[in-house]
Amino acid sequence: MSTEVIIQQMAVIAILVIIGMYLGKKGIIDEKTEQKLSSIVLDVCNPAMILSCVLSGGITATHTKLLIAILIAIILYVILCILGVLFPYLLGIDSDKRKYYNMMVVYTNVGFIGIAVAKTILSNNGMLYIIVFNIMFGLFFYTHGVKILGGKNERFQWKNLLSPGIIMSLFTLVVFWTGLKLPTVISNSVIYVGNATVFLSMCLLGVSFIKMSVKSCIKDKNIWIYIILRMILFPIVLFFVLKGLGLEMEMVQAFCLEAAMPVANLPLIQAENNGQDTRVLSEGIMVTTVISFFTITALMSFVFV
């Protein structure tokens, strides 16, 4: 995809975010509406869009490439888990905040923002690899992530893996692998529901922007070091490594795009449920989300090509 097209697509996303900001300012999307729409996006629209990527056709990836993508995604998350331990020490982060920076390094917003952005930029093949990345996010977070945030006494619960997103992702891979054909009525319904994902996701992101107080966060130098190392340098290094391995560009771009995403919301939600101080995570989410519009546009336009 050309630089011009990528910039145009990111501009479209920016416009959708601005619409969300307007709707939030006018009170059309208030706090209760925001919560309900978030549930619709996460539990209905996102899963539908994941499945629609396969149902709409146009995927030429082979079973072998899918297996390679799964292997690379596992290796990548293992590396991120290691970096998550090392990064806070290298930055000299206080011991009581290290686990939060650990989460920021390992878990980026590959679902809520990642899927929506990828849908506007990547091909259907690329979206298949995005699905793989999201499955690994869920598997690692509900094992490794929950353990890090909860401490030694935290126990793994299988029910946490039964989210609509993970279930639909796995089902989508089954549909792709087996070539299963769903009835036309079902397929079209899923595609129509999935098409609402990008607009609703970006509108909700815009609503969240108007509640942010970024000024109080930008003074933290550690956040900026994180942005440089994790959101810019790491995806660039990953790009040249994967490209050097001879992988197809669609797979490389998909993984690098997800690696460049801002901090994920799920660690924040988990920390809140544990009654922990979530200031580090919330500030990280705020700053990285705003900055990601510029970093992702630059990386996709001038580096991941």
Side-chain angles (χ1 to χ4, degrees):
M1 184 176 290
S2 67
T3 298
E4 181 180 358
V5 173
I6 292 174
I7 293 176
Q8 287 177 351
Q9 293 300 90
M10 292 303 292
V12 169
I13 289 177
I15 290 173
L16 297 182
V17 171
I18 293 172
I19 292 174
M21 295 174 67
Y22 171 80
L23 295 175
K25 281 283 189 180
K26 289 294 184 179
I28 298 173
I29 300 181
D30 56 18
E31 187 171 349
K32 289 185 178 180
T33 305
E34 180 185 3
Q35 292 174 352
K36 292 178 181 179
L37 286 177
S38 295
S39 297
I40 292 174
V41 170
L42 292 173
D43 297 337
V44 181
C45 294
N46 246 4
M49 187 173 73
I50 289 171
L51 181 57
S52 70
C53 294
V54 172
L55 298 180
S56 57
I59 294 181
T60 59
T62 63
H63 290 174
T64 300
K65 289 181 179 179
L66 176 60
L67 294 175
I68 291 174
I70 293 173
L71 177 61
I72 291 176
I74 293 173
I75 294 174
L76 182 56
Y77 266 107
V78 170
I79 293 174
L80 286 173
C81 288
I82 296 172
L83 293 177
V85 175
L86 298 177
F87 188 88
Y89 284 97
L90 294 177
L91 263 65
I93 304 296
D94 295 338
S95 58
D96 60 329
K97 297 179 180 179
R98 286 173 186 166
K99 62 181 178 182
Y100 303 124
Y101 270 89
N102 187 333
M103 293 294 96
M104 288 166 59
V105 170
V106 181
Y107 302 106
T108 53
N109 203 326
V110 300
F112 191 81
I113 297 177
I115 291 178
V117 173
K119 181 65 175 178
T120 66
I121 295 177
L122 301 180
S123 65
N124 286 339
N125 279 356
M127 287 304 299
L128 181 65
Y129 305 133
I130 295 293
I131 293 169
V132 171
F133 208 96
N134 273 268
I135 291 174
M136 293 307 158
F137 174 97
L139 293 177
F140 272 83
F141 179 78
Y142 286 116
T143 51
H144 165 267
V146 169
K147 185 69 175 179
I148 296 297
L149 284 175
K152 297 181 179 179
N153 297 325
E154 189 70 31
R155 293 184 178 182
F156 167 71
Q157 297 183 29
W158 283 101
K159 66 179 182 180
N160 290 333
L161 295 179
L162 301 179
S163 69
I166 293 180
I167 292 174
M168 188 62 79
S169 295
L170 292 172
F171 179 66
T172 300
L173 295 185
V174 171
V175 171
F176 166 76
W177 189 273
T178 62
L180 178 67
K181 300 295 182 182
L182 299 182
T184 303
V185 173
I186 300 298
S187 297
N188 289 342
S189 298
V190 170
I191 292 171
Y192 282 129
V193 174
N195 287 342
T197 302
V198 176
F199 174 66
L200 291 178
S201 296
M202 294 304 102
C203 273
L204 289 171
L205 187 58
V207 173
S208 67
F209 276 1
I210 65 174
K211 297 185 293 185
M212 292 181 178
S213 178
V214 181
K215 291 183 180 180
S216 63
C217 310
I218 60 177
K219 297 180 180 179
D220 186 354
K221 67 176 183 179
N222 289 327
I223 291 292
W224 292 103
I225 295 175
Y226 169 89
I227 290 172
I228 293 172
L229 295 180
R230 178 61 181 84
M231 295 177 60
I232 300 176
L233 183 60
F234 178 77
I236 291 175
V237 172
L238 179 64
F239 173 77
F240 288 107
V241 170
L242 295 182
K243 189 177 179 180
L245 292 174
L247 300 178
E248 65 171 338
M249 186 56 65
E250 290 173 313
M251 187 184 300
V252 174
Q253 288 178 332
F255 283 158
C256 291
L257 175 62
E258 296 296 80
M261 287 294 148
V263 177
N265 294 338
L266 203 51
L268 173 65
I269 295 172
Q270 183 66 31
E272 287 177 340
N273 290 339
N274 293 342
Q276 300 172 357
D277 183 2
T278 59
R279 182 173 52 187
V280 172
L281 288 172
S282 60
E283 291 180 351
I285 291 170
M286 282 190 283
V287 177
T288 59
T289 300
V290 173
I291 296 299
S292 67
F293 274 85
F294 303 99
T295 56
I296 290 173
T297 301
L299 289 172
M300 290 299 299
S301 300
F302 306 111
V303 181
F304 304 157
V305 292

